[in-house]
Amino acid sequence: MSEDDSGSGCGRVSEPEGGNVSVLHWEQVQRLDAILTETIPIHGRGNFPTLEMQPRQIVKVVRSRMEEKQIRVRDVRLNGSAASHILHEDSGLGYKDLDLIFCADLKGESAFQTVKDIVLDCLLDFLPDCVNKEKITPLTLKEAYVQKMVKVCTDSDRWSLISLSNNRGKNVELKFVDSLRRQFEFSVDSFQIKLDSLLLFYECSENPMTETFHPTIMGESVYGDFGEALDHLRHKVICTRNPEEIRGGGLLKYCHLLVRGFRAASESEMKSLQRYMCSRFFIDFPDIGEQQRKLESYLQNHFVGLEDRKYDYLMTLHGVVNESTVCLMGHERRQTLGLIAMLAVRVLAEQNVIPNVANVTCYYQPAPYVADGNFSNYYIAQVQPMFACQQPAFSTWLPCN
């Protein structure tokens, strides 16, 4: 079996021709099959039951209903860290979220609304049989099972995202893309795996896959050169194109790569890349409150089960911001550095960790009253919990920042 390769990426953009695609070998196909057939729990809030679904099942149901509603789906792809894991299992990145891209024709506001209705309606199919589904509304399903919803409609970008909740951080993210100008941040996260041939095999074949009998599955790097991007992944090299186009969140991803042992190809490239990303971060998140919300959200979503690495991550971010920020007034820079340091101390407090003093940098200037014999050197800080216990109120769509 083979798959037609028409275009590069699903964002209708011009990418370099030639070496941006590659056929998956048998071991990679096996890893992809394991991911698509793994049962993933979608946890409900409150008393709502957990939904059990395989990624291939939700893709099949959503795609068929989109086509019933006359929304053409050009192809379906697996993106992000899961795609990188399939192509190189020992990358050190691991994977959490499952990013599934539906490349579709979304020509108006009504199309986005239809897609949202379809996804929420599909959740009913995965509810246990004992549940009375007649009285469950789409709004109820959204509040119970959706982690976040995003919609972007600009001249260059038309897409939406619906993320289904998983308490262990393995959210199933359904992304519906009509056009998308920038489809990656770094070469190591630029991979997309086209699923259509494998999904067709699941539907049509009565025999299981073997090394000599399996569909042809294409992988693509929207960075441009597939072999070069895969080499970066194997050797943990941070590289990108047009870094000025990377949105503010790219700084957080960059520091995450650093903590996982990735490094820029050269010192000069690293310094230039860091300056670009720091500048863009402060353009996209100019207010200290926005910065705090973004950082707390990133920590919550990307360190489930990796809480012991939060401190190293925040100290890495602190160092990059301190070294490479050139676009802020002094007090604004100190304010952001103070925020990062506060979050780092909060992480240690939450973990009840007494760090090795050799690994902690303390900034201390004695005050005059320290000479007072009655003065105590110890101060117990009242640390607020990082995330409030109350359930947040979810809006229909969140702005894309």
Side-chain angles (χ1 to χ4, degrees):
M1 298 175 67
S2 64
E3 181 178 345
D4 176 44
D5 175 38
S6 56
S8 177
C10 62
R12 295 177 178 175
V13 295
S14 176
E15 296 285 353
E17 295 293 334
N20 62 327
V21 296
S22 178
V23 178
L24 270 62
H25 59 65
W26 172 234
E27 289 77 13
Q28 293 168 334
V29 171
Q30 287 179 298
R31 288 197 288 270
L32 175 60
D33 176 63
I35 286 177
L36 293 183
T37 57
E38 176 189 11
T39 298
I40 298 176
I42 304 300
H43 298 106
R45 296 182 180 88
N47 295 325
F48 279 84
T50 297
L51 310 182
E52 303 284 346
M53 64 174 64
Q54 296 178 354
R56 73 172 193 174
Q57 293 173 328
I58 189 68
V59 168
K60 176 185 176 181
V61 175
V62 170
R63 181 173 192 166
S64 64
R65 295 192 186 177
M66 289 177 67
E67 292 173 347
E68 288 174 6
K69 296 292 186 179
Q70 308 302 312
I71 298 177
R72 186 173 75 91
V73 179
R74 299 189 293 276
D75 57 40
V76 181
R77 302 171 179 232
L78 181 68
N79 186 46
S81 58
S84 299
H85 169 79
I86 288 165
L87 294 172
H88 183 56
E89 189 175 19
D90 300 322
S91 66
L93 288 175
Y95 74 94
K96 287 291 184 181
D97 294 341
L98 282 181
D99 301 314
L100 296 162
I101 301 178
F102 295 78
C103 303
D105 294 335
L106 304 171
K107 293 306 178 187
E109 177 65 29
S110 61
F112 285 101
Q113 183 62 43
T114 299
V115 165
K116 186 182 78 168
D117 294 341
I118 286 171
V119 173
L120 295 177
D121 186 60
C122 288
L123 296 181
L124 288 173
D125 296 353
F126 295 94
L127 284 169
D129 294 336
C130 59
V131 175
N132 182 0
K133 303 176 184 179
E134 295 180 359
K135 296 183 179 180
I136 299 179
T137 66
L139 178 61
T140 302
L141 289 168
K142 178 176 74 71
E143 296 292 343
Y145 295 108
V146 174
Q147 177 76 17
K148 65 179 177 181
M149 303 178 81
V150 179
K151 181 177 67 175
V152 176
C153 291
T154 66
D155 292 340
S156 59
D157 296 338
R158 292 183 58 81
W159 58 270
S160 67
L161 171 73
I162 299 176
S163 178
L164 305 179
S165 302
N166 177 278
N167 293 344
R168 295 192 292 271
K170 189 179 285 188
N171 295 338
V172 176
E173 302 210 329
L174 308 176
K175 193 170 187 176
F176 303 89
V177 177
D178 179 85
S179 60
L180 183 58
R181 183 170 61 94
R182 178 84 183 196
Q183 301 183 68
F184 72 101
E185 291 171 321
F186 306 100
S187 60
V188 295
D189 65 11
S190 68
F191 299 105
Q192 297 182 358
I193 297 175
K194 301 181 181 182
L195 303 179
D196 297 77
S197 61
L198 183 55
L199 296 172
L200 182 61
F201 184 92
Y202 289 145
E203 291 294 310
C204 300
S205 178
E206 298 179 356
N207 300 311
M209 288 191 297
T210 66
E211 186 171 1
T212 57
F213 181 69
H214 64 270
T216 300
I217 302 171
M218 303 298 295
E220 178 182 354
S221 170
V222 292
Y223 166 79
D225 187 314
F226 187 95
E228 182 181 337
L230 187 58
D231 193 58
H232 292 163
L233 184 64
R234 288 170 175 160
H235 296 94
K236 296 190 173 183
V237 175
I238 301 174
C239 188
T240 191
R241 298 187 192 276
N242 304 323
E244 68 277 3
E245 296 178 357
I246 300 176
R247 297 185 66 86
L251 172 65
L252 307 185
K253 176 65 175 290
Y254 171 77
C255 292
H256 202 168
L257 290 174
L258 291 178
V259 169
R260 289 179 176 270
F262 286 71
R263 291 294 180 267
S266 69
E267 186 76 13
S268 60
E269 284 186 19
M270 181 179 72
K271 290 185 180 298
S272 175
L273 185 60
Q274 289 180 177
R275 284 195 295 270
Y276 270 123
M277 289 188 298
C278 286
S279 297
R280 186 58 192 259
F281 180 81
F282 291 111
I283 290 171
D284 288 355
F285 308 104
D287 177 76
I288 192 68
E290 294 178 81
Q291 294 169 21
Q292 180 167 352
R293 286 189 292 272
K294 182 65 178 178
L295 285 172
E296 289 179 342
S297 174
Y298 193 92
L299 291 170
Q300 183 181 33
N301 294 330
H302 292 84
F303 288 87
V304 176
L306 300 169
E307 283 78 9
D308 58 322
R309 306 190 76 167
K310 286 182 179 179
Y311 179 80
D312 289 341
Y313 171 77
L314 288 166
M315 287 296 94
T316 299
L317 177 62
H318 188 282
V320 170
V321 172
N322 186 45
E323 178 182 344
S324 301
T325 299
V326 295
C327 62
L328 293 183
M329 300 290 288
H331 73 281
E332 294 173 322
R333 180 170 164 274
R334 288 191 295 272
Q335 192 176 39
T336 300
L337 291 172
L339 167 64
I340 299 170
M342 178 271 291
L343 291 175
V345 171
R346 182 185 292 179
V347 164
L348 294 179
E350 288 177 345
Q351 297 173 1
N352 196 26
V353 172
I354 301 176
N356 181 343
V357 293
N359 298 324
V360 177
T361 301
C362 296
Y363 300 94
Y364 174 66
Q365 180 177 358
Y369 49 79
V370 173
D372 184 348
N374 296 320
F375 174 75
S376 172
N377 288 320
Y378 294 93
Y379 171 69
I380 307 301
Q382 301 299 315
V383 180
Q384 297 295 325
M386 183 177 293
F387 306 108
C389 296
Q390 294 86 356
Q391 292 292 343
F394 293 87
S395 60
T396 303
W397 297 106
L398 296 178
C400 180
N401 288 323

